[in-house]
């Protein structure tokens, strides 16, 4: 046994790697190793011989296993020391670039619009997206037989049997916020009402949900001339036009304004790029008009003393025009690659004069 002890302790001490160490473990204490075979011979010995040989063999096996474990730990430490000696890390190097989140074009354009109108004295008003049909239709002078009130155009909320509350709809425009603002603040008043709206429509230029911003100004001496100036200033700032902008007001009809007008801007299309303020083409961008007396009355304002103008435009639409987004549906069903292309850095802050600052 002394020979076995000296043999394997010497071999273990000289092992150069873990593979050689494993071979020695199998040779010494594996199932067919020399020490294991010696232990099997205990059964052939007399009881007196087993009492002497058994403890010695167990002690030898434990010593070899301890030597194997110690050598394995020493080899691991040596390998780690070698890695630390040959490998190094420059902690002064910059980290790998990480993608930053981007702001959705709808959010960005909403901020731009808000900043521009804020300079002209308009505050932001908000209201519920689910509203009664009185706020969404009746208060806006939209008669009961109007096509917009049909279920094929408007999303009506389900009503349980016995529910006596007035019908509720997903608002089809942000005009109900104008009524609520007049009720809450009275006159004079100057607000814009941005937010999501819903209509039963879906194609390249229409989606069931989209975003509008509507404006309302009420005062004693207010006219279409004031409306024209506000819209001209907005278009120049939003589309970042240095010179003048020519607007064309076309007579139209909206139940909530009288007179009513569709508004076009002079523009050109060169290489598929929109240029505002030049060219021979016209592009419709919004609807507008003087607030109908019945709408003022619905908001609790005396139309014999006050008058006002209102306008409304699609945030999605003007975002498409300004930033070259071809399909309205892309705002809602595109992936992160689209957002990385059309999104805005969080450091791009809208200024009160249009454009972005960093």
């Amino acid at each position: 046994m002394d020979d076995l002890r000296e043999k394997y302790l010497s071999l273990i001490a000289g092992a150069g790697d873990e593979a050689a160490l494993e071979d020695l473990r199998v040779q010494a204490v594996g199932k067919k190793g020399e020490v294991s075979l010696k232990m099997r011979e205990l059964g052939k010995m007399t009881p007196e011989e087993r009492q002497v040989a058994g403890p010695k063999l167990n002690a030898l096996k434990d010593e070899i296993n301890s030597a194997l474990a110690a050598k394995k730990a020493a080899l691991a430490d040596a390998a780690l020391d070698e890695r630390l000696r040959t490998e190094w890390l420059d902690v002064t190097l910059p980290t790998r670039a990480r993608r930053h989140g981007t702001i959705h074009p709808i959010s960005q354009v909403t901020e731009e619009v808000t900043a521009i109108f804020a300079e002209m004295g308009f505050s932001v008003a908000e209201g519920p997206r689910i509203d009664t049909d009185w706020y969404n239709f009746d208060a806006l002078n939209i008669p009961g037989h109007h096509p917009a009130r049909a279920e094929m155009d408007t999303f009506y909320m389900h009503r349980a049997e016995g529910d006596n509350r007035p019908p509720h709809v997903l608002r089809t425009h942000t005009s109900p916020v104008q009524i609520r603002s007049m009720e809450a603040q009275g006159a004079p008043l100057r607000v814009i009402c941005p937010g999501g709206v819903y209509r039963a429509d879906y194609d390249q230029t229409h989606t069931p949900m989209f975003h509008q911003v509507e404006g309302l100004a009420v005062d004693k001496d207010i006219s279409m001339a004031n409306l024209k100036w506000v819209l001209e200033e907005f278009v120049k700032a939003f589309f970042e036009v240095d010179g003048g902008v020519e607007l064309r007001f076309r007579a139209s009809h909206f139940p909530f304004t009288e007179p009513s007008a569709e508004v076009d801007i002079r523009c050109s299309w060169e290489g598929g790029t929109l240029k505002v303020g030049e060219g021979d083409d016209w592009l419709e961008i919004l609807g507008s008009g003087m607030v109908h007396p019945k709408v003022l009355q619905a908001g609790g304002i005396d139309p014999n003393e006050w008058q006002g103008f209102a306008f409304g435009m699609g945030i999605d639409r003007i975002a498409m025009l300004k930033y070259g987004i071809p399909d309205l549906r892309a705002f809602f069903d595109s992936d992160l690659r689209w957002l990385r292309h059309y999104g805005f850095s969080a450091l791009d802050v809208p200024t009160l004069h249009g454009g972005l600052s960093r």
Side-chain angles (χ1 to χ4, degrees):
M1 290 188 196
D2 289 340
D3 292 341
L4 284 177
R5 178 180 179 278
E6 291 180 6
K7 171 186 174 181
Y8 282 109
L9 292 182
S10 176
L11 291 173
I12 290 170
D17 54 43
E18 290 192 17
L21 198 63
E22 176 63 17
D23 290 340
L24 289 172
R25 185 194 68 78
V26 172
Q27 293 175 28
V29 295
K31 288 184 178 181
K32 296 182 179 181
E34 289 189 69
V35 176
S36 299
L37 293 175
K38 288 286 185 183
M39 296 188 77
R40 291 179 188 175
E41 295 176 358
L42 291 174
K44 302 176 182 180
M45 298 181 183
T46 63
E48 292 78 10
E49 289 174 332
R50 280 198 300 271
Q51 286 182 354
V52 175
K56 288 184 178 181
L57 284 171
N58 284 327
L60 176 60
K61 182 178 179 181
D62 291 343
E63 189 173 2
I64 290 174
N65 282 329
S66 297
L68 288 167
K71 184 62 177 180
K72 185 175 182 179
L75 289 173
D77 290 342
L80 179 59
D81 290 340
E82 180 64 16
R83 284 190 62 191
L84 293 174
R85 187 181 65 80
T86 57
E87 298 179 10
W88 58 281
L89 176 66
D90 185 354
V91 296
T92 66
L93 289 174
T95 60
R96 291 185 177 92
R98 297 179 63 184
R99 289 188 181 274
H100 295 283
T102 54
I103 297 176
H104 196 282
I106 293 298
S107 300
Q108 178 69 24
V109 170
T110 301
E111 292 297 320
E112 291 179 28
V113 170
T114 299
I116 294 168
F117 281 110
E119 189 179 52
M120 292 186 278
F122 286 81
S123 60
V124 175
E126 296 180 325
R129 296 195 180 201
I130 299 176
D131 216 333
T132 66
D133 64 347
W134 186 85
Y135 278 105
N136 197 78
F137 295 122
D138 296 323
L140 296 165
N141 197 37
I142 299 176
H145 62 271
H146 195 281
R149 301 184 74 148
E151 290 189 359
M152 63 182 298
D153 290 323
T154 299
F155 294 105
Y156 282 84
M157 307 302 293
H158 174 72
R159 300 177 72 191
E161 187 176 350
D163 187 349
N164 295 320
R165 293 177 300 171
H168 282 67
V169 300
L170 291 177
R171 66 183 185 189
T172 59
H173 40 201
T174 58
S175 302
V177 183
Q178 297 184 27
I179 301 296
R180 293 180 178 274
S181 297
M182 287 189 284
E183 288 178 335
Q185 302 179 41
L189 179 67
R190 210 179 298 184
V191 295
I192 58 169
C193 313
V197 297
Y198 306 86
R199 296 179 189 173
D201 207 351
Y202 188 69
D203 57 35
Q204 187 174 1
T205 57
H206 300 86
T207 53
M209 173 188 170
F210 57 102
H211 300 81
Q212 278 189 339
V213 58
E214 298 190 10
L216 171 68
V218 178
D219 214 321
K220 290 189 175 181
D221 298 310
I222 205 166
S223 68
M224 289 286 287
N226 302 115
L227 169 64
K228 182 174 182 292
W229 178 85
V230 166
L231 295 180
E232 285 177 345
E233 292 299 304
F234 167 75
V235 170
K236 284 191 293 185
F238 181 75
F239 290 105
E240 302 176 36
V241 179
D242 294 330
V245 174
E246 187 176 353
L247 298 183
R248 181 174 68 181
F249 285 72
R250 290 181 290 105
S252 186
H253 170 72
F254 304 115
F256 30 80
T257 52
E258 180 60 39
S260 303
E262 301 274 6
V263 180
D264 307 330
I265 54 172
R266 182 180 290 279
C267 65
S268 67
W269 295 89
E270 294 183 8
T273 301
L274 173 68
K275 292 187 177 181
V276 174
E278 61 181 60
D280 298 322
D281 294 326
W282 294 92
L283 178 68
E284 177 190 328
I285 57 170
L286 57 90
S288 65
M290 299 300 293
V291 181
H292 197 287
K294 290 185 178 180
V295 175
L296 291 173
Q297 285 180 330
I301 293 176
D302 184 358
N304 295 316
E305 185 177 358
W306 304 91
Q307 57 191 30
F309 64 73
F311 57 86
M313 69 190 86
I315 294 176
D316 316 64
R317 175 169 168 74
I318 61 175
M320 293 171 67
L321 294 174
K322 182 173 181 178
Y323 295 111
I325 301 171
D327 193 326
L328 180 62
R329 293 169 292 189
F331 284 115
F332 304 99
D333 57 14
S334 296
D335 58 20
L336 285 175
R337 292 171 296 178
W338 181 89
L339 188 56
R340 287 171 186 151
H341 179 75
Y342 287 109
F344 294 83
S345 167
L347 298 177
D348 292 336
V349 181
T351 70
L352 296 182
H353 303 284
L356 305 172
S357 66
R358 292 200 173 198

